Amino acid sequence: MKNGKFLPIIGGLALWFCHLANAADDQPRSFRNDVVPVLTRLGCNSGACHGALAGKGGFRLSLRGYDPVSDYLAITRHARGRRVELADPGRSLILAKPSGAIPHKGGLRFEVDSEPYSIIAQWIAQGAPSPSDDDPRVNSISLKPSNASSRPGESDQITVTAQYSNGETIDVTRWSHFSTTRESVARVNADGKISITGHGAGAIVASFDSKIAIYGITVPFESKLSDNAFAEFQPRNFIDEEVLARWKQLNIAPSPVADDATFVRRVYLDTIGTLPTTDEVRGFLADTTPDKRDRLVESLLNRDEFVDYWAYKWSDLMLVNGQLLRPKAVKAYYQWIRQQVELNTPWDEFARKVVLAQGSSVDNAETNFYALHQDAESMTENVCQAFMGLSIGCAKCHNHPLEKWTNDQYYAMANLFARVRAKGWGGDPRNGDGLRTIYVAREGELIQPGKGKPQPPTPLDGAAVDFHASGDRRQAVADWLTSPDNPYFARAIANRVWANFLGVGLVEPIDDLRASNPASNEALLSALARYLIENDYDLKSLMRVILQSNVYRRSSQALPQNIADNRFYSRYYPRRMMAEVLLDAVARVTGVPDKFTHIEYPGADFQETKEYAAGTRALQLYDSAVASPFLRSFGRNPRNITCECQRSNEPSLVQALHLSNGETINQKLQSDSGRVQQLINDKRPVYRIVEEVFLAAVSRYPTDQELASLMKLINDTPVESRREAIEDVFWSVLSSREFLFHH
């Protein structure tokens, strides 16, 4: 006692007795509904503290309190029960450490005269009752206000109300956790006070007891719009109407309509991933009929290149990868996907075929989805990610910290796949056979590790399937997944398709459709999903209505009234071509196709290099394992995991070197069978050569200034060096931003 070691405890006890003088009259304290929210708000059960997988300082809690029963045992039973002292609550470590009475590596978390201290102390004084199955549970939370329009510099206060299973409603603002989706629009402090920081739209996410609610924020831009700012924009369909409403709400003016040259190049790249030929450009620019854009859209939707492009896109999603599958299987998998695109198989039917797949990896190629994901947990996570844009992997170990998905829901969903089995890698692998057969067993359950027993097989937010029900449990998954009532399925694919054509998803990242990541235009995303459902999940129909909209036809040139817009589609957002499209574009402009090879069985005891057929385009490669330094450097999707994040459009020094002095462009320009040599052989006039370069690469005629300067460059070059000058003209256009980008 001489060193004063216990004096803080004595002081804490004195204040504690003051708090509990009338404890008998206080309401009973619940561990589940009072103590756990305190620990969560203070961060005691966060991933950085005792909620870490291994805990901290020998004390481990469930992450953000998802498992009150285990937390109760950790606090009251572990370490010989010394964390709770019923006879003298002030000496309980659960109070003494965070209040600073004794050293605590986590620092001071609350004062002894604070509400958190009082709540925990009252609970201990009442005998530290354990959580009970009869405890009221939080059904939902709501916010007031639910949304607002504000100006920079203004502030507001959110109130969070929890609705409990016993009908009680309680203000839980002080125990809630808050975050913002866009700090450039608004910030929020730990108490729910919002500060408006800029213009645009965003949201504040409030969470309490694994429940989430959204506070929408709209901050109009301070643009000075003329009275006729929207006069030129005439809505053609529901897309235009929803986007126009958002522009007016945010005080944004649309850019004008893109010219024909810009449109023809854009729609080819976005729809079929291929540049138009020079003849196609000339024909479109010369056409004066008013419906030529709609007719062009219709023709592109019915071209073979459309099938190549979208088969490639869905192969990214389905992970068609020769590093993971045997040669015959990977080829059959791609051919199956391509056939579905060619047949315009409705997206719900496509999903059902994948989810319910059985049979061999060659004859029933959709089964390769299960060859890639060979345990119930992986099957669950990848079905959710691919078809609903939901990442539920965090719930495998604990309740999702940012979403509503619980550990129980995860294992209930995964148990639907518990009876999916596979046998064999039959056949001689040297012949590429590798037959793997997927079948469904009659019995089998997935044990939830934390509870030592299986959860009733249940789709997320769906109805449970009886443990003893006969048949394939995946039927329940397919029915629930593709139901019009599923709030994720139609929205997820609508968002993917929208992002392909407009460059930015309504939800970004495009495969992250969690509730805490709201869309930039919720009304539009809901309308797109409804349209898809009403049209029987016909993706081509959805593409058509997007391409016919006046929103899609905006110029990419920014106006002073929309220059700050990067989420609301008042203009077309330029973006670099994806790697495969860019490589094919270089080949088309130069007239020299690429040669592709792939290695069979990389890493195995034997390897075999094979070549694709001459003239194969990058978008026709069915295997992401094909060797290509260019595709690798420009960020192609390696198809290792189901995530759009695997594809990169980030610029790099290696990319610049590829364009400036790499073999991809230079060798093609120097080829004796390429377009440069053909133009020379045809003895085209110099002005025709320059026109040909521009029409082939950027789908327009050169301006007078461009034509004059480039003609002078070629004409001033000695005859013996004329070819080199023409190559320089090609190179200058192929390395320009205008060529490299959709715009």
Side-chain angles (χ1 to χ4, degrees):
M1 293 291 290
K2 290 182 180 180
N3 59 9
K5 181 177 180 180
F6 296 106
L7 288 178
I9 295 181
I10 294 173
L13 281 171
L15 285 169
W16 179 78
F17 279 120
C18 291
H19 279 296
L20 298 187
N22 298 314
D25 297 329
D26 288 341
Q27 61 177 322
R29 291 298 182 182
S30 159
F31 182 80
R32 185 189 305 274
N33 292 321
D34 293 314
V35 176
V36 171
V38 168
L39 299 176
T40 302
R41 170 60 190 270
L42 297 174
C44 303
N45 53 22
S46 68
C49 199
H50 299 292
L53 184 62
K56 284 287 178 70
F59 180 31
R60 180 177 180 275
L61 295 170
S62 65
L63 185 65
R64 302 185 76 169
Y66 82 89
D67 189 352
V69 174
S70 67
D71 291 346
Y72 177 82
L73 294 175
I75 292 172
T76 63
R77 298 292 186 268
H78 297 175
R80 294 179 292 181
R82 66 195 182 101
R83 295 190 178 96
V84 170
E85 183 62 61
L86 297 178
D88 193 354
R91 292 182 179 273
S92 301
L93 293 184
I94 195 70
L95 283 173
K97 279 197 167 187
S99 66
I102 58 177
H104 180 223
K105 288 186 178 180
L108 183 69
R109 308 308 298 175
F110 51 69
E111 301 285 353
V112 292
D113 59 349
S114 66
E115 186 179 17
Y117 188 104
S118 176
I119 288 173
I120 298 175
Q122 289 174 23
W123 169 70
I124 297 173
Q126 292 166 3
S130 64
S132 166
D133 291 339
D134 296 330
D135 289 338
R137 306 300 176 92
V138 178
N139 288 334
S140 63
I141 62 172
S142 58
L143 307 182
K144 289 184 179 179
S146 58
N147 54 71
S149 294
S150 306
R151 294 181 178 179
E154 293 182 348
S155 61
D156 204 350
Q157 175 65 49
I158 294 178
T159 299
V160 185
T161 303
Q163 290 78 38
Y164 285 83
S165 57
N166 62 356
E168 191 174 10
T169 59
I170 298 177
D171 184 338
V172 294
T173 306
R174 62 196 184 284
W175 310 124
S176 299
H177 178 267
F178 301 96
S179 62
T180 181
T181 61
R182 292 179 69 82
E183 286 200 351
S184 61
V185 175
R187 295 178 182 173
V188 62
N189 68 11
D191 298 319
K193 184 177 180 179
I194 302 169
S195 300
I196 304 302
T197 57
H199 304 282
I204 302 300
V205 181
S207 61
F208 175 76
D209 194 33
S210 296
K211 301 296 186 292
I212 289 175
I214 303 294
Y215 173 90
I217 299 173
T218 300
V219 186
F221 291 88
E222 295 178 349
S223 309
K224 293 183 179 179
L225 304 187
S226 63
D227 293 338
N228 61 349
F230 304 105
E232 180 271 336
F233 185 86
Q234 296 298 315
R236 299 189 71 201
N237 55 33
F238 71 91
I239 291 174
D240 296 333
E241 291 169 356
E242 295 294 355
V243 174
L244 178 59
R246 195 66 163 147
W247 292 340
K248 290 180 177 178
Q249 189 180 39
L250 287 162
N251 200 40
I252 301 172
S255 291
V257 175
D259 60 44
D260 282 345
T262 299
F263 179 81
V264 68
R265 186 176 192 270
R266 177 193 300 175
V267 75
Y268 267 78
L269 290 175
D270 288 346
T271 308
I272 65 174
T274 303
L275 287 173
T277 66
T278 55
D279 287 342
E280 287 169 337
V281 175
R282 285 191 177 96
F284 185 79
L285 297 182
D287 189 347
T288 58
T289 56
D291 65 339
K292 67 178 184 178
R293 294 193 180 192
D294 287 344
R295 286 189 288 107
L296 176 59
V297 165
E298 201 60 39
S299 69
L300 293 175
L301 292 173
N302 290 286
R303 284 179 54 157
D304 288 341
E305 294 96 327
F306 174 90
V307 180
D308 292 335
Y309 179 66
W310 288 96
Y312 197 94
K313 297 277 284 188
W314 303 146
S315 293
D316 281 356
L317 191 64
M318 295 290 104
L319 306 184
V320 181
N321 184 349
Q323 299 276 11
L324 306 175
L325 298 168
R326 294 286 177 86
K328 285 187 178 180
V330 73
K331 189 171 185 178
Y333 196 18
Y334 168 79
Q335 289 174 336
W336 179 83
I337 293 171
R338 194 181 192 285
Q339 182 184 44
Q340 305 313 305
V341 177
E342 190 171 21
L343 295 173
N344 195 30
T345 300
W347 189 247
D348 61 332
E349 185 178 334
F350 179 95
R352 291 183 72 89
K353 288 180 177 181
V354 172
V355 171
L356 297 173
Q358 294 190 63
S360 82
S361 54
V362 173
D363 296 332
N364 305 95
E366 61 269 36
T367 60
N368 284 290
F369 180 86
Y370 292 106
L372 292 164
H373 314 299
Q374 298 183 21
D375 57 81
E377 293 95 326
S378 296
M379 296 172 194
T380 299
E381 291 176 21
N382 284 282
V383 164
C384 291
Q385 188 71 73
F387 293 115
M388 295 187 292
L390 294 179
S391 177
I392 66 169
C394 289
K396 181 177 182 179
C397 299
H398 46 71
N399 288 1
H400 201 299
L402 300 175
E403 274 299 295
K404 68 176 187 176
W405 310 119
T406 67
N407 186 241
D408 287 348
Q409 284 180 298
Y410 177 96
Y411 279 97
M413 177 76 172
N415 203 19
L416 291 162
F417 295 94
R419 296 177 181 177
V420 179
R421 302 282 190 272
K423 58 183 179 183
W425 277 118
D428 183 358
R430 292 177 184 270
N431 295 328
D433 293 340
L435 293 179
R436 188 172 182 82
T437 301
I438 301 296
Y439 66 98
V440 177
R442 293 184 177 180
E443 58 184 23
E445 307 292 347
L446 178 66
I447 303 301
Q448 184 176 359
K451 297 189 175 180
K453 62 181 182 180
Q455 284 288 326
T458 312
L460 299 177
D461 286 345
V465 176
D466 188 272
F467 275 116
H468 305 294
S470 61
D472 187 352
R473 287 177 175 176
R474 296 178 304 167
Q475 187 66 52
V477 179
D479 293 343
W480 164 80
L481 179 68
T482 60
S483 167
D485 296 328
N486 186 319
Y488 305 102
F489 180 71
R491 288 165 62 90
I493 189 60
N495 190 56
R496 287 184 187 277
V497 172
W498 177 267
N500 175 83
F501 291 105
L502 276 298
V504 177
L506 288 158
V507 174
E508 281 287 341
I510 66 171
D511 46 13
D512 186 17
L513 266 67
R514 52 192 161 87
S516 52
N517 185 30
S520 60
N521 189 331
E522 176 57 38
L524 175 57
L525 182 54
S526 296
L528 290 170
R530 284 195 305 272
Y531 180 88
L532 193 57
I533 293 168
E534 291 166 0
N535 286 273
D536 300 322
Y537 297 95
D538 181 349
L539 295 188
K540 191 175 286 190
S541 177
L542 178 65
M543 295 173 191
R544 181 180 294 108
V545 77
I546 292 173
L547 290 168
Q548 289 176 346
S549 71
N550 266 328
V551 169
Y552 179 73
R553 299 180 181 187
R554 294 302 94 194
S555 167
S556 61
Q557 297 298 315
L559 302 176
Q561 297 88 351
N562 67 20
I563 194 169
D565 166 28
N566 57 14
R567 291 296 304 278
F568 308 108
Y569 314 103
S570 59
R571 54 192 169 88
Y572 186 89
Y573 306 124
R575 66 191 189 281
R576 202 203 72 204
M577 295 186 215
M578 75 183 209
E580 298 84 351
V581 173
L582 178 57
L583 186 57
D584 285 345
V586 171
R588 168 157 285 199
V589 174
T590 60
V592 181
D594 290 281
K595 295 180 180 179
F596 298 103
T597 62
H598 67 284
I599 299 175
E600 307 281 12
Y601 316 112
D605 294 335
F606 59 93
Q607 293 183 346
E608 182 180 1
T609 301
K610 293 186 177 181
E611 286 194 3
Y612 280 82
T616 300
R617 297 183 296 117
L619 282 174
Q620 293 173 322
L621 300 175
Y622 58 81
D623 185 357
S624 67
V626 172
S628 172
F630 185 95
L631 295 180
R632 183 177 63 252
S633 299
F634 280 83
R636 72 171 171 190
N637 191 328
R639 300 177 183 169
N640 294 321
I641 60 174
T642 307
C643 181
E644 192 66 22
C645 60
Q646 290 243 289
R647 181 174 291 281
S648 172
N649 276 330
E650 291 298 316
S652 69
L653 179 60
V654 175
Q655 294 172 11
L657 293 174
H658 264 288
L659 296 173
S660 62
N661 56 14
E663 296 180 353
T664 302
I665 293 180
N666 290 330
Q667 284 190 358
K668 292 180 185 299
L669 293 176
Q670 296 164 5
S671 172
D672 290 336
S673 60
R675 191 187 295 259
V676 172
Q677 186 62 49
Q678 180 185 348
L679 291 173
I680 293 173
N681 293 343
D682 292 347
K683 297 181 180 180
R684 301 264 186 108
V686 172
Y687 81 91
R688 288 291 190 190
I689 292 176
V690 176
E691 277 186 357
E692 188 79 6
V693 176
F694 276 78
L695 289 170
V698 292
S699 304
R700 66 173 176 86
Y701 290 99
T703 64
D704 291 343
Q705 182 179 357
E706 289 167 335
L707 183 61
S709 62
L710 293 175
M711 285 180 61
K712 185 176 188 304
L713 170 68
I714 296 174
N715 288 328
D716 289 352
T717 302
V719 175
E720 62 272 17
S721 302
R722 185 69 56 86
R723 179 192 174 103
E724 185 176 342
I726 296 173
E727 290 177 8
D728 287 344
V729 172
F730 270 85
W731 180 88
S732 65
V733 176
L734 289 173
S735 60
S736 68
R737 286 176 58 87
E738 186 176 1
F739 171 74
L740 297 172
F741 280 69
H742 298 240
H743 51 80

